[in-house]
């Protein structure tokens, strides 16, 4: 059963009540019907993903999402600023939004997520054409020296971090549904783009589930 059918959101994995009005009870009934007809039944999901609508991302991003590059705010900004200055050139941040297969142009300052249009590698250093308060977060003023973190994304989704324990927590959320409905297997989709090398992070991901 595809994730778009059985789940409202990856991460916390609430059962989709538009398809299964009574939640887990209805999903279990559907699986029982497959079993009675002689079929085995599995759940498809993007195993490393946190979507835009999940409480792990909005309205306050979880500290255990994958963040892979860091810098500091070069001077104070208010909640309306569209240029985010940095203390040094943001050379390791993606230059532009990479789309479905590329890197995100999303940074975090405090509890706010910010989308930027491009980087400025010559003075003034920073991020141009910023859209503030993305994904239901709140645009806010930030002090000089505040940490700026690049929030990593794969296949259009943000990622949970096994080194910080979030992957293990997400796996427990999924297991509660899979065990509760009697699923026979899990389809680990989207495990190609992870925090780091696959010999480590694919193994940690699958071990957690």
């Amino acid at each position: 059963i595809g994730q778009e059918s059985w789940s409202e959101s990856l991460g916390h994995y609430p059962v989709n009540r538009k398809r299964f009005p009574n939640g887990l009870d209805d999903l279990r009934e559907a699986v029982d019907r497959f079993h009675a007809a002689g079929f085995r039944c599995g759940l498809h999901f993007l195993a490393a993903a946190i979507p835009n609508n999940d409480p792990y991302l909005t309205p306050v991003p979880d500290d255990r999402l994958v963040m892979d590059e860091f810098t500091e705010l070069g001077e104070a900004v208010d909640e309306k600023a569209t240029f985010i200055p940095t203390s040094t050139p943001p050379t390791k941040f993606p230059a532009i939004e990479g789309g479905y297969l590329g890197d995100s142009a999303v940074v975090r300052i405090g509890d706010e997520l910010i989308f930027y249009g491009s980087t400025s590698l010559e003075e003034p250093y920073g991020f141009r054409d910023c859209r503030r308060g993305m994904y239901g977060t709140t645009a806010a003023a930030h002090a000089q020296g505040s940490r700026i973190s690049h929030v990593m994304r794969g296949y259009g989704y943000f990622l949970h971090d096994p080194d910080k324990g979030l992957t293990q927590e997400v796996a427990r959320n999924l297991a509660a549904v899979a065990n509760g409905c009697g699923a026979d297997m899990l389809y680990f989709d989207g495990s190609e783009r992870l925090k780091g090398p696959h010999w480590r992070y694919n193994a940690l991901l699958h071990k957690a589930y």
Side-chain angles (χ1 to χ4, degrees), residues 103-119:
D103 290 322
S104 75
V106 177
V107 295
R108 176 181 180 176
I109 308 177
D111 291 335
E112 181 185 359
L113 294 176
I114 301 168
F115 177 88
Y116 61 88
S118 62
T119 57

Side-chain angles (χ1 to χ4, degrees), residues 2-189:
Q3 68 176 35
E4 71 287 348
S5 176
W6 71 265
S7 179
E8 290 182 0
S9 171
L10 305 172
H12 282 81
Y13 295 108
V15 174
N16 186 341
R17 289 183 178 269
K18 292 181 180 178
R19 304 290 180 89
F20 303 96
N22 295 309
L24 186 59
D25 288 342
D26 280 359
L27 181 58
R28 183 188 306 112
E29 181 183 352
V31 173
D32 287 345
R33 290 172 64 189
F34 278 116
H35 288 163
F39 293 96
R40 293 181 180 179
C41 185
L43 301 180
H44 160 273
F45 66 112
L46 293 178
I50 299 293
N52 300 345
N53 65 331
D54 192 82
Y56 285 126
L57 188 82
T58 182
V60 176
D62 196 288
D63 292 334
R64 298 168 295 170
L65 297 171
V66 175
M67 290 170 275
D68 59 347
E69 300 295 345
F70 306 92
T71 187
E72 292 183 352
L73 191 60
E75 59 185 70
V77 295
D78 64 19
E79 69 278 6
K80 297 180 180 179
T82 59
F83 180 77
I84 302 296
T86 57
S87 56
T88 57
T91 53
K92 293 185 178 181
F93 288 70
I96 59 173
E97 169 61 39
Y100 182 71
L101 294 177
D103 290 322
S104 75
V106 177
V107 295
R108 176 181 180 176
I109 308 177
D111 291 335
E112 181 185 359
L113 294 176
I114 301 168
F115 177 88
Y116 61 88
S118 62
T119 57
S120 175
L121 303 183
E122 298 181 357
E123 293 185 340
Y125 308 129
F127 303 98
R128 302 188 189 97
D129 303 320
C130 293
R131 302 208 304 263
R132 305 292 301 276
M134 294 294 292
Y135 308 116
T137 63
T138 300
H142 302 289
Q144 182 178 5
S146 296
R147 192 181 209 198
I148 302 174
S149 308
H150 175 252
V151 190
M152 188 177 173
R153 196 180 61 205
Y155 304 118
Y157 294 88
F158 297 95
L159 305 172
H160 43 80
D161 193 335
D163 291 328
K164 297 178 180 177
L166 185 54
T167 294
Q168 292 77 4
E169 183 175 314
V170 168
R172 288 193 292 271
N173 297 340
L174 184 281
V177 179
N179 293 335
C181 73
D184 299 294
M185 61 87 73
L186 299 175
Y187 185 110
F188 294 88
D189 203 357

